[in-house]
Amino acid sequence: MSSTTSTLSLSWSNSFHNFAGATNEPLKSPEYGRFILPIVAQKKTKKIRKIILKDDVPDLGKKGQLLDVRAGFYRNFLFPMGKAQIVTPLLIKEMKMEEERIEAEKKRVKEEAQQLARIFETVGAFKVKRKGGKGKQIFGTVTAQDLVDIIKAQLQRDVDKKIVFLPEIRETGEYIAELKLHPEVTAQVRINVFAN
């Protein structure tokens, strides 16, 4: 009885040793003539999808962003809600073309703003006439709308008064106004205020 137990434990330890040695071939038991199949545990694979967002998704990303998400999340939430699309080579090519177009447009707008800033700064000073009071005092103040009207009259350029930043002008003299033509381009314009 003890001899069969020792042979059985020996064959078991041999098969375990071979399994630990990472052989994927079935092992043949010398005692019984049967094959012993090793069981190899596999991790459950996480299926990931590359997507592009069509809309802003809270806690996930902004519109146009490329992301890796789990397949189930895409299949069960993003796709039915129309918030995402699976990335394809054609879609990536279209995105790159759109980005290049947007960058070219931004560059063009900035260059136009820089040219307009050069024009404003080379003009010299814009003259503003106001009714005079005592000393240097003038009646009323010079507003952004006044400057916009003067620019339109002298340069035939339409300027939005929201981009004009003036100091408070209540006396005659020379002042500097700023025109925020672009987030990165600001033009400084001189204003000469004098009394009639």
Side-chain angles (χ1 to χ4, degrees):
M1 175 99 170
S2 66
S3 67
T4 45
T5 310
S6 65
T7 337
L8 185 58
S9 64
L10 183 62
S11 70
W12 171 253
S13 66
N14 284 342
S15 65
F16 182 73
H17 177 65
N18 286 340
F19 175 66
T23 58
N24 288 331
E25 298 177 13
L27 303 173
K28 190 170 185 180
S29 171
E31 190 172 307
Y32 301 107
R34 291 188 277 178
F35 288 106
I36 301 172
L37 297 173
I39 299 171
V40 178
Q42 291 181 339
K43 269 187 168 178
K44 187 176 180 182
T45 59
K46 293 179 182 176
K47 293 183 181 166
I48 302 293
R49 298 281 184 256
K50 284 202 170 294
I51 62 156
I52 182 169
L53 294 177
K54 290 182 178 179
D55 290 324
D56 291 351
V57 178
D59 299 328
L60 188 62
K62 301 270 184 204
K63 181 179 179 178
Q65 191 173 357
L66 288 170
L67 297 171
D68 290 335
V69 296
R70 292 202 173 161
F73 182 61
Y74 169 75
R75 181 180 59 246
N76 296 325
F77 176 71
L78 295 173
F79 180 68
M81 300 291 279
K83 295 189 179 274
Q85 183 177 354
I86 289 186
V87 175
T88 62
L90 179 63
L91 187 62
I92 290 175
K93 185 178 178 182
E94 288 174 1
M95 281 178 49
K96 283 183 182 176
M97 288 174 55
E98 182 67 17
E99 279 181 16
E100 289 170 0
R101 187 191 65 77
I102 289 171
E103 286 300 317
E105 179 66 20
K106 284 181 182 178
K107 186 177 179 183
R108 186 189 63 78
V109 168
K110 184 178 176 182
E111 287 173 356
E112 281 182 6
Q114 287 171 336
Q115 286 177 346
L116 194 57
R118 276 188 234 110
I119 290 171
F120 284 137
E121 289 172 357
T122 57
V123 161
F126 291 102
K127 295 179 182 175
V128 179
K129 294 180 184 177
R130 282 287 182 262
K131 197 171 190 181
K134 289 182 183 178
K136 290 183 157 188
Q137 294 287 324
I138 58 171
F139 290 108
T141 61
V142 177
T143 63
Q145 185 62 48
D146 294 330
L147 183 59
V148 167
D149 293 339
I150 292 168
I151 290 171
K152 174 120 174 134
Q154 288 185 12
L155 299 177
Q156 287 75 40
R157 297 269 182 178
D158 288 324
V159 176
D160 188 4
K161 71 178 183 179
K162 293 175 187 172
I163 67 167
V164 177
F165 298 97
L166 282 173
E168 190 172 324
I169 302 174
R170 294 183 177 269
E171 297 180 345
T172 58
E174 186 169 294
Y175 298 91
I176 302 285
E178 289 189 347
L179 303 175
K180 189 84 171 166
L181 302 171
H182 185 270
E184 300 173 21
V185 180
T186 303
Q188 292 190 337
V189 177
R190 289 186 303 140
I191 303 171
N192 278 332
V193 180
F194 60 96
N196 289 11

